[in-house]
Amino acid sequence: MGRILHGALAASAFLTIAAPAHAGGGDFAAGVFGGLAAGAIIGSAGRPYYDPPPPPPDYYYEGPRYGGPYCHWERGRRYWDDYEGVWRYQRVRVCD
């Protein structure tokens, strides 16, 4: 039974390969481009244009903390930076 089924499948494959193909006046190209356009429209209709950005994380808060001193940075004395040739200010950490 399996040999008959395989023989029939092989014969049908050879018959479809041997059939002449005619592209009558650009019908094939129109079908390909139409299918691509329809696929793009259908594929883009299922999702919104963009996803909204996630909310900002909460762990960047630099305010006062419980159980420890509150520290911040202030501008200290000015010095000359020879590498870049500009005046810079030292950063001084001040804790309350």
Side-chain angles (χ1 to χ4, degrees):
M1 183 69 178
R3 289 185 183 189
I4 296 172
L5 179 64
H6 289 144
L9 287 174
S12 65
F14 286 124
L15 290 176
T16 57
I17 292 172
H22 296 287
D27 294 340
F28 178 75
V32 168
F33 290 127
L36 289 174
I41 291 170
I42 292 169
S44 66
R47 291 193 48 143
Y49 180 67
Y50 66 92
D51 292 333
D58 294 333
Y59 54 84
Y60 285 115
Y61 178 68
E62 289 293 330
R65 294 177 186 85
Y66 297 107
Y70 174 66
C71 298
H72 64 278
W73 293 95
E74 289 185 1
R75 188 166 69 174
R77 70 177 182 93
R78 191 169 74 158
Y79 68 95
W80 179 255
D81 186 4
D82 287 329
Y83 183 73
E84 293 189 15
V86 294
W87 286 99
R88 298 213 180 261
Y89 290 93
Q90 286 181 339
R91 294 179 65 194
V92 178
R93 186 174 182 189
V94 178
C95 295
D96 296 333

XYZ file of all heavy atoms in Angstrom:
743
model
N 0.826 -1.188 0.000
C 0.000 0.000 0.000
C 0.869 1.250 0.000
O 0.551 2.222 -0.665
C -0.906 -0.046 1.226
C -1.863 1.090 1.328
S -3.082 0.910 0.029
C -4.098 2.281 0.364
N 1.958 1.226 0.795
C 2.849 2.380 0.865
C 3.553 2.649 -0.450
O 3.781 3.805 -0.816
N 3.882 1.584 -1.183
C 4.557 1.765 -2.468
C 3.640 2.424 -3.477
O 4.085 3.259 -4.276
C 5.034 0.421 -3.015
C 6.189 -0.142 -2.246
C 6.693 -1.390 -2.893
N 7.769 -1.963 -2.094
C 8.519 -2.958 -2.479
N 8.302 -3.518 -3.655
N 9.481 -3.394 -1.708
N 2.374 2.068 -3.438
C 1.427 2.669 -4.385
C 1.253 4.159 -4.065
O 1.237 5.007 -4.967
C 0.071 1.931 -4.323
C 0.246 0.475 -4.779
C -0.971 2.642 -5.160
C -0.970 -0.376 -4.579
N 1.138 4.482 -2.792
C 0.970 5.881 -2.388
C 2.204 6.698 -2.769
O 2.073 7.796 -3.323
C 0.721 5.962 -0.875
C 0.547 7.367 -0.302
C -0.699 8.012 -0.875
C 0.496 7.315 1.203
N 3.396 6.164 -2.497
C 4.616 6.876 -2.853
C 4.753 7.036 -4.362
O 5.214 8.073 -4.845
C 5.846 6.166 -2.283
C 5.949 6.281 -0.796
N 6.424 5.249 -0.026
C 5.642 7.273 0.065
C 6.394 5.619 1.252
N 5.926 6.849 1.320
N 4.366 6.024 -5.112
C 4.409 6.108 -6.574
C 3.455 7.176 -7.097
O 3.784 7.931 -8.020
N 2.256 7.249 -6.519
C 1.289 8.255 -6.957
C 1.782 9.662 -6.625
O 1.623 10.601 -7.421
C -0.063 7.995 -6.305
N 2.389 9.836 -5.443
C 2.920 11.148 -5.074
C 4.080 11.558 -5.981
O 4.183 12.713 -6.400
C 3.377 11.138 -3.612
C 2.270 11.136 -2.563
C 2.859 10.978 -1.176
C 1.443 12.395 -2.668
N 4.952 10.632 -6.321
C 6.065 10.939 -7.211
C 5.574 11.293 -8.602
O 6.069 12.233 -9.230
C 7.027 9.755 -7.268
N 4.568 10.560 -9.102
C 4.028 10.844 -10.432
C 3.362 12.218 -10.461
O 3.516 12.984 -11.428
C 3.030 9.756 -10.833
N 2.627 12.578 -9.404
C 1.982 13.894 -9.391
C 3.016 15.012 -9.287
O 2.843 16.093 -9.851
C 0.980 13.977 -8.242
O 1.656 13.902 -6.999
N 4.133 14.761 -8.568
C 5.190 15.771 -8.482
C 5.835 15.988 -9.838
O 6.107 17.119 -10.238
C 6.230 15.348 -7.454
N 6.081 14.907 -10.581
C 6.672 15.048 -11.902
C 5.719 15.733 -12.876
O 6.144 16.507 -13.726
C 7.095 13.675 -12.459
C 8.334 13.131 -11.806
C 8.321 11.886 -11.207
C 9.512 13.860 -11.794
C 9.454 11.385 -10.606
C 10.643 13.358 -11.194
C 10.621 12.109 -10.602
N 4.451 15.486 -12.745
C 3.498 16.122 -13.648
C 3.397 17.627 -13.390
O 3.245 18.412 -14.334
C 2.124 15.464 -13.503
C 2.016 14.040 -14.046
C 0.627 13.461 -13.760
C 2.302 14.019 -15.541
N 3.467 18.032 -12.151
C 3.380 19.469 -11.875
C 4.658 20.184 -12.290
O 4.624 21.335 -12.688
C 3.125 19.727 -10.379
O 4.158 19.123 -9.616
C 1.788 19.169 -9.957
N 5.798 19.513 -12.194
C 7.051 20.126 -12.625
C 7.090 20.255 -14.141
O 7.573 21.249 -14.671
C 8.251 19.309 -12.112
C 8.344 19.419 -10.588
C 9.557 19.781 -12.728
C 9.370 18.505 -9.975
N 6.566 19.280 -14.833
C 6.645 19.262 -16.285
C 5.627 20.187 -16.944
O 5.726 20.451 -18.135
C 6.430 17.849 -16.801
N 4.672 20.726 -16.198
C 3.663 21.603 -16.803
C 4.305 22.936 -17.175
O 5.075 23.504 -16.409
C 2.521 21.826 -15.826
N 4.039 23.433 -18.368
C 4.638 24.706 -18.784
C 4.045 25.868 -17.985
O 2.859 25.901 -17.680
C 4.277 24.811 -20.254
C 3.078 23.963 -20.416
C 3.195 22.862 -19.416
N 4.895 26.813 -17.652
C 4.450 27.990 -16.909
C 4.482 29.192 -17.827
O 5.448 29.417 -18.546
C 5.370 28.217 -15.719
N 3.423 29.957 -17.817
C 3.337 31.146 -18.659
C 3.054 32.346 -17.773
O 2.151 32.322 -16.945
C 2.205 31.007 -19.683
C 2.419 29.899 -20.647
N 3.347 29.955 -21.657
C 1.841 28.678 -20.746
C 3.319 28.831 -22.343
N 2.404 28.020 -21.807
N 3.847 33.371 -17.920
C 3.599 34.630 -17.221
C 2.984 35.568 -18.242
O 3.667 36.230 -19.004
C 4.884 35.203 -16.661
N 1.701 35.600 -18.262
C 1.003 36.356 -19.294
C 0.925 37.840 -18.990
O 0.029 38.297 -18.295
N 1.851 38.607 -19.481
C 1.783 40.056 -19.381
C 2.011 40.591 -17.982
O 1.435 41.607 -17.621
N 2.813 39.948 -17.158
C 3.120 40.455 -15.828
C 2.144 40.024 -14.760
O 2.091 40.627 -13.692
N 1.353 38.991 -15.024
C 0.404 38.532 -14.019
C 1.110 37.996 -12.781
O 0.639 38.194 -11.664
C -0.496 37.426 -14.595
C -1.394 37.946 -15.697
O -1.596 39.180 -15.741
O -1.879 37.136 -16.501
N 2.238 37.330 -12.975
C 2.972 36.762 -11.853
C 3.523 37.867 -10.949
O 3.396 37.807 -9.727
C 4.112 35.870 -12.367
C 4.941 35.277 -11.275
C 4.449 34.227 -10.518
C 6.195 35.771 -10.984
C 5.196 33.677 -9.498
C 6.949 35.234 -9.969
C 6.453 34.179 -9.222
N 4.124 38.887 -11.554
C 4.693 39.984 -10.768
C 3.601 40.732 -10.001
O 3.784 41.113 -8.842
C 5.453 40.949 -11.666
N 2.453 40.929 -10.629
C 1.351 41.603 -9.949
C 0.859 40.774 -8.764
O 0.523 41.319 -7.708
C 0.207 41.858 -10.934
N 0.834 39.479 -8.910
C 0.423 38.617 -7.816
C 1.406 38.643 -6.658
O 1.018 38.669 -5.491
N 2.698 38.647 -6.984
C 3.718 38.688 -5.930
C 3.645 40.009 -5.177
O 3.612 40.044 -3.939
C 5.127 38.475 -6.524
C 6.209 38.796 -5.499
C 5.286 37.055 -7.020
N 3.607 41.123 -5.894
C 3.563 42.425 -5.227
C 2.253 42.633 -4.488
O 2.222 43.220 -3.406
C 3.798 43.549 -6.228
C 5.204 43.585 -6.741
C 5.460 43.585 -8.100
C 6.277 43.592 -5.868
C 6.748 43.618 -8.574
C 7.576 43.624 -6.339
C 7.817 43.636 -7.705
N 1.176 42.153 -5.037
C -0.103 42.254 -4.334
C -0.113 41.425 -3.065
O -0.639 41.850 -2.034
N 0.482 40.253 -3.106
C 0.568 39.418 -1.917
C 1.457 40.030 -0.848
O 1.135 39.978 0.344
N 2.567 40.628 -1.257
C 3.429 41.300 -0.290
C 2.727 42.493 0.343
O 2.827 42.716 1.554
C 4.722 41.747 -0.962
C 5.700 40.633 -1.337
C 6.870 41.207 -2.116
C 6.188 39.916 -0.101
N 2.006 43.261 -0.463
C 1.299 44.424 0.082
C 0.189 43.977 1.030
O 0.011 44.560 2.111
C 0.723 45.255 -1.060
N -0.567 42.962 0.648
C -1.639 42.474 1.520
C -1.060 41.913 2.818
O -1.606 42.129 3.903
C -2.459 41.412 0.801
N 0.056 41.221 2.754
C 0.693 40.696 3.961
C 1.186 41.800 4.874
O 1.077 41.703 6.099
N 1.730 42.856 4.299
C 2.192 43.979 5.117
C 1.023 44.673 5.799
O 1.107 45.054 6.978
C 2.971 44.970 4.263
N -0.073 44.859 5.101
C -1.245 45.521 5.689
C -1.846 44.660 6.792
O -2.155 45.145 7.888
C -2.283 45.833 4.594
C -1.740 46.919 3.664
C -3.612 46.256 5.203
C -2.569 47.134 2.429
N -1.989 43.378 6.543
C -2.577 42.485 7.544
C -1.643 42.346 8.745
O -2.076 42.346 9.899
C -2.892 41.116 6.919
C -4.033 41.259 5.905
C -3.259 40.097 7.984
C -4.248 40.046 5.057
N -0.338 42.262 8.490
C 0.618 42.113 9.585
C 0.718 43.349 10.460
O 0.911 43.256 11.665
N 0.590 44.531 9.871
C 0.706 45.748 10.662
C -0.592 46.123 11.354
O -0.588 46.958 12.261
C 1.163 46.907 9.781
O 0.157 47.211 8.835
N -1.699 45.550 10.974
C -2.978 45.896 11.585
C -3.137 45.275 12.967
O -3.920 45.757 13.772
C -4.124 45.432 10.695
N -2.377 44.260 13.278
C -2.546 43.572 14.545
C -1.868 44.243 15.719
O -2.194 43.963 16.860
N -0.930 45.144 15.491
C -0.181 45.778 16.581
C -0.284 47.286 16.466
O -0.425 47.815 15.379
C 1.285 45.389 16.503
C 1.522 43.944 16.828
C 2.963 43.710 17.047
N 3.489 44.723 17.961
C 4.393 44.476 18.872
N 4.854 43.278 18.996
N 4.844 45.417 19.654
N -0.155 47.990 17.592
C -0.117 49.440 17.504
C 1.183 49.905 16.865
O 2.123 49.122 16.685
C -0.217 49.907 18.954
C 0.282 48.767 19.745
C -0.109 47.528 18.968
N 1.260 51.177 16.532
C 2.439 51.713 15.856
C 3.686 51.587 16.721
O 4.745 51.289 16.242
C 2.174 53.167 15.472
C 3.322 53.812 14.767
C 3.699 53.399 13.494
C 4.063 54.805 15.355
C 4.751 53.969 12.847
C 5.123 55.387 14.713
C 5.465 54.972 13.457
O 6.523 55.540 12.813
N 3.557 51.840 18.005
C 4.703 51.728 18.905
C 4.210 51.329 20.283
O 3.057 51.523 20.620
C 5.481 53.036 18.982
C 4.694 54.154 19.630
C 4.780 54.385 20.988
C 3.856 54.961 18.885
C 4.048 55.382 21.585
C 3.125 55.970 19.475
C 3.228 56.184 20.819
O 2.505 57.166 21.411
N 5.105 50.795 21.073
C 4.797 50.475 22.461
C 5.143 51.680 23.320
O 6.182 52.323 23.108
C 5.601 49.265 22.930
C 5.163 47.986 22.237
O 3.993 47.934 21.827
O 5.983 47.075 22.097
N 4.338 52.009 24.299
C 4.685 53.144 25.158
C 5.925 52.824 25.988
O 6.187 51.666 26.310
C 3.449 53.316 26.042
C 2.768 52.003 26.019
C 3.070 51.403 24.670
N 6.721 53.832 26.316
C 7.938 53.562 27.088
C 7.595 53.114 28.500
O 6.546 53.471 29.034
C 8.659 54.915 27.100
C 7.583 55.916 26.882
C 6.563 55.242 26.002
N 8.462 52.329 29.102
C 8.198 51.866 30.474
C 8.336 53.030 31.450
O 9.017 54.022 31.159
C 9.276 50.811 30.711
C 10.371 51.199 29.790
C 9.707 51.789 28.574
N 7.728 52.926 32.604
C 7.876 53.994 33.592
C 9.305 54.044 34.117
O 10.013 53.036 34.100
C 6.890 53.601 34.700
C 6.730 52.140 34.549
C 6.859 51.858 33.078
N 9.748 55.203 34.572
C 11.128 55.281 35.069
C 11.280 54.473 36.346
O 10.350 54.352 37.136
C 11.319 56.780 35.338
C 9.951 57.317 35.497
C 9.056 56.482 34.637
N 12.458 53.904 36.556
C 12.668 53.101 37.765
C 12.694 53.981 39.006
O 13.031 55.158 38.957
C 14.012 52.431 37.524
C 14.695 53.296 36.526
C 13.621 53.904 35.680
N 12.354 53.397 40.143
C 12.280 54.137 41.392
C 13.607 54.189 42.138
O 13.731 54.923 43.105
C 11.232 53.496 42.311
C 9.834 53.627 41.730
O 9.604 54.576 40.966
O 8.995 52.780 42.040
N 14.587 53.421 41.731
C 15.795 53.313 42.524
C 16.840 54.380 42.185
O 17.949 54.319 42.653
C 16.413 51.929 42.399
C 16.668 51.470 40.991
C 17.809 51.833 40.309
C 15.751 50.652 40.347
C 18.043 51.411 39.030
C 15.974 50.222 39.072
C 17.121 50.601 38.417
O 17.341 50.176 37.155
N 16.517 55.394 41.364
C 17.457 56.470 41.085
C 17.252 57.663 42.016
O 17.874 58.683 41.852
C 17.322 56.946 39.632
C 17.930 56.003 38.647
C 17.152 55.339 37.728
C 19.289 55.761 38.656
C 17.696 54.468 36.832
C 19.857 54.899 37.762
C 19.060 54.251 36.852
O 19.614 53.389 35.968
N 16.418 57.569 42.993
C 16.138 58.671 43.893
C 17.356 58.935 44.770
O 17.864 58.061 45.435
C 14.923 58.332 44.749
C 14.584 59.394 45.747
C 14.116 60.633 45.337
C 14.731 59.159 47.103
C 13.793 61.600 46.239
C 14.421 60.120 48.021
C 13.950 61.354 47.592
O 13.647 62.317 48.499
N 17.830 60.173 44.760
C 19.028 60.527 45.512
C 18.707 61.392 46.728
O 19.521 62.190 47.154
C 20.015 61.270 44.601
C 20.662 60.387 43.561
C 21.584 59.345 44.162
O 22.164 59.592 45.223
O 21.700 58.273 43.564
N 17.526 61.282 47.258
C 17.131 62.085 48.400
C 17.640 61.510 49.704
O 18.479 60.604 49.731
N 17.166 62.063 50.824
C 17.630 61.571 52.123
C 17.211 60.123 52.362
O 16.169 59.677 51.897
C 16.960 62.505 53.125
C 15.928 63.231 52.383
C 16.243 63.147 50.929
N 18.059 59.407 53.067
C 17.804 58.006 53.368
C 17.645 57.849 54.875
O 18.195 58.626 55.646
C 18.960 57.143 52.879
C 19.080 57.133 51.383
C 20.309 56.319 50.980
N 20.535 56.411 49.567
C 21.208 57.398 48.983
N 21.726 58.359 49.688
N 21.359 57.418 47.686
N 16.953 56.819 55.264
C 16.776 56.548 56.686
C 18.015 55.882 57.254
O 18.588 54.990 56.643
C 15.558 55.653 56.906
C 14.278 56.309 56.473
C 13.623 55.909 55.323
C 13.725 57.341 57.219
C 12.458 56.515 54.925
C 12.561 57.955 56.822
C 11.926 57.540 55.674
O 10.777 58.147 55.288
N 18.446 56.322 58.404
C 19.533 55.657 59.098
C 20.915 56.121 58.713
O 21.897 55.562 59.165
N 21.068 57.127 57.874
C 22.394 57.568 57.483
C 22.407 59.055 57.196
O 21.359 59.701 57.095
N 23.587 59.640 57.044
C 23.654 61.072 56.775
C 23.263 61.385 55.337
O 23.371 60.551 54.451
C 25.118 61.405 57.037
C 25.840 60.136 56.732
C 24.896 59.041 57.172
N 22.821 62.611 55.147
C 22.486 63.087 53.812
C 23.721 63.767 53.236
O 24.236 64.721 53.809
C 21.304 64.056 53.873
C 20.995 64.689 52.545
C 20.528 63.912 51.499
C 21.177 66.036 52.333
C 20.244 64.482 50.277
C 20.897 66.613 51.124
C 20.434 65.837 50.092
O 20.164 66.390 48.880
N 24.222 63.278 52.120
C 25.427 63.820 51.495
C 25.104 64.378 50.120
O 24.231 63.866 49.418
C 26.501 62.738 51.363
S 27.042 62.071 52.936
N 25.822 65.415 49.742
C 25.682 65.984 48.408
C 27.029 66.547 47.977
O 27.971 66.633 48.760
C 24.601 67.069 48.382
C 24.915 68.254 49.233
N 24.689 68.272 50.574
C 25.448 69.462 48.930
C 25.061 69.433 51.085
N 25.535 70.179 50.102
N 27.133 66.913 46.701
C 28.384 67.422 46.137
C 28.269 68.925 45.958
O 27.250 69.438 45.513
C 28.671 66.770 44.793
C 28.962 65.310 44.897
C 28.079 64.288 44.746
C 30.214 64.721 45.186
N 28.715 63.090 44.923
C 30.029 63.325 45.189
C 31.481 65.220 45.435
C 31.057 62.443 45.435
C 32.504 64.333 45.682
C 32.300 62.952 45.684
N 29.347 69.624 46.277
C 29.430 71.066 46.061
C 30.693 71.383 45.283
O 31.625 70.581 45.221
C 29.442 71.821 47.392
C 28.129 71.798 48.110
C 28.142 72.644 49.362
O 29.189 73.266 49.660
O 27.108 72.677 50.039
N 30.699 72.584 44.704
C 31.847 73.009 43.933
C 32.920 73.544 44.881
O 32.659 74.396 45.730
C 31.418 74.089 42.945
C 32.486 74.461 41.969
C 31.937 75.251 40.833
N 31.521 76.581 41.270
C 31.104 77.524 40.449
N 31.020 77.274 39.163
N 30.751 78.699 40.894
N 34.135 73.036 44.735
C 35.246 73.445 45.592
C 36.118 74.480 44.913
O 35.649 75.285 44.108
N 37.417 74.420 45.204
C 38.308 75.438 44.663
C 38.622 75.165 43.192
O 38.550 74.037 42.710
C 39.579 75.527 45.489
C 40.496 74.362 45.364
C 41.757 74.608 46.187
N 42.657 73.493 46.029
C 43.626 73.453 45.106
N 43.814 74.458 44.293
N 44.395 72.389 45.015
N 39.007 76.220 42.504
C 39.275 76.145 41.066
C 40.725 75.735 40.836
O 41.620 76.133 41.596
C 39.002 77.513 40.451
C 38.982 77.518 38.957
C 38.464 78.818 38.449
N 39.478 79.865 38.618
C 39.509 80.980 37.924
N 38.551 81.246 37.063
N 40.452 81.866 38.113
N 40.972 74.929 39.769
C 42.328 74.540 39.403
C 42.448 74.487 37.883
O 41.455 74.395 37.157
C 42.716 73.189 40.025
C 41.954 71.998 39.468
C 42.501 71.232 38.441
C 40.711 71.640 39.963
C 41.814 70.145 37.933
C 40.021 70.563 39.458
C 40.573 69.818 38.445
O 39.890 68.758 37.938
N 43.678 74.563 37.378
C 43.949 74.546 35.948
C 44.216 73.113 35.499
O 45.062 72.415 36.050
C 45.164 75.406 35.617
C 45.519 75.410 34.165
C 46.554 74.757 33.583
C 44.827 76.084 33.126
N 46.564 74.987 32.240
C 45.502 75.809 31.924
C 43.707 76.898 33.087
C 45.084 76.317 30.706
C 43.307 77.404 31.868
C 43.985 77.117 30.699
N 43.471 72.666 34.473
C 43.640 71.324 33.915
C 44.585 71.429 32.724
O 44.226 71.972 31.683
C 42.280 70.758 33.492
C 42.364 69.322 33.039
O 43.455 68.727 33.115
O 41.321 68.791 32.606
N 45.815 70.923 32.886
C 46.813 71.025 31.815
C 46.468 70.139 30.618
O 46.850 70.449 29.498
C 48.200 70.623 32.342
C 48.793 71.670 33.260
O 48.495 72.863 33.054
O 49.537 71.291 34.182
N 45.766 69.051 30.842
C 45.464 68.123 29.749
C 44.528 68.759 28.731
O 44.748 68.666 27.535
C 44.860 66.839 30.316
C 44.575 65.797 29.265
C 45.604 65.085 28.665
C 43.272 65.531 28.864
C 45.350 64.143 27.701
C 43.001 64.586 27.900
C 44.046 63.900 27.313
O 43.793 62.973 26.359
N 43.470 69.406 29.209
C 42.505 70.012 28.284
C 42.676 71.516 28.154
O 42.049 72.137 27.302
C 41.078 69.685 28.733
C 40.757 68.217 28.603
C 39.289 67.931 28.849
O 38.484 68.886 28.828
O 38.960 66.773 29.051
N 43.482 72.119 29.006
C 43.736 73.541 28.902
C 42.565 74.403 29.330
O 42.307 75.437 28.710
N 41.856 74.006 30.383
C 40.700 74.767 30.874
C 40.748 74.815 32.395
O 41.426 74.021 33.042
C 39.360 74.132 30.418
C 39.194 74.211 28.918
C 39.251 72.706 30.897
N 40.005 75.778 32.959
C 39.845 75.842 34.403
C 38.742 74.892 34.831
O 37.702 74.813 34.197
C 39.488 77.262 34.845
C 40.642 78.203 34.784
C 40.918 79.093 33.799
C 41.684 78.321 35.743
N 42.062 79.775 34.070
C 42.560 79.317 35.276
C 41.974 77.690 36.939
C 43.691 79.688 35.970
C 43.101 78.076 37.629
C 43.948 79.057 37.156
N 38.974 74.164 35.897
C 37.987 73.227 36.427
C 37.792 73.500 37.913
O 38.582 74.183 38.540
C 38.440 71.794 36.238
C 38.616 71.407 34.792
C 38.269 69.960 34.620
N 38.423 69.573 33.239
C 37.404 69.485 32.404
N 36.198 69.732 32.809
N 37.594 69.128 31.156
N 36.723 72.911 38.469
C 36.440 73.026 39.886
C 36.485 71.648 40.517
O 35.995 70.676 39.937
C 35.050 73.628 40.117
C 34.979 75.088 39.741
C 34.566 75.476 38.477
C 35.318 76.057 40.657
C 34.497 76.793 38.133
C 35.249 77.406 40.318
C 34.836 77.765 39.057
O 34.774 79.074 38.716
N 37.084 71.561 41.706
C 37.085 70.306 42.429
C 35.674 70.036 42.940
O 34.914 70.957 43.218
C 38.026 70.365 43.628
C 39.464 70.310 43.279
C 40.326 70.343 44.527
O 39.901 70.773 45.589
N 41.561 69.879 44.388
N 35.339 68.764 43.066
C 34.065 68.372 43.657
C 34.305 67.985 45.097
O 35.166 67.165 45.393
C 33.453 67.199 42.892
C 33.064 67.581 41.474
C 32.493 66.406 40.742
N 31.234 66.018 41.388
C 30.603 64.867 41.167
N 31.132 63.997 40.335
N 29.489 64.588 41.770
N 33.550 68.581 45.995
C 33.703 68.333 47.422
C 32.416 67.693 47.929
O 31.335 68.237 47.710
C 33.987 69.650 48.177
C 34.104 69.374 49.663
C 35.232 70.304 47.637
N 32.546 66.568 48.609
C 31.375 65.891 49.162
C 31.113 66.433 50.564
O 31.983 66.411 51.427
C 31.613 64.380 49.223
C 30.393 63.624 49.644
C 30.618 62.152 49.552
N 29.400 61.452 49.914
C 29.324 60.156 50.094
N 30.390 59.399 49.922
N 28.189 59.609 50.433
N 29.863 66.902 50.765
C 29.488 67.486 52.040
C 28.373 66.627 52.617
O 27.353 66.407 51.979
C 29.000 68.939 51.852
C 28.559 69.527 53.185
C 30.076 69.777 51.211
N 28.595 66.139 53.853
C 27.590 65.302 54.510
C 27.040 66.047 55.735
O 27.800 66.621 56.511
C 28.184 63.975 54.953
S 28.706 62.946 53.569
N 25.738 66.031 55.883
C 25.094 66.667 57.037
C 24.959 65.680 58.175
O 24.750 64.540 58.033
C 23.722 67.196 56.658
C 23.825 68.289 55.621
O 24.872 68.969 55.582
O 22.867 68.472 54.842
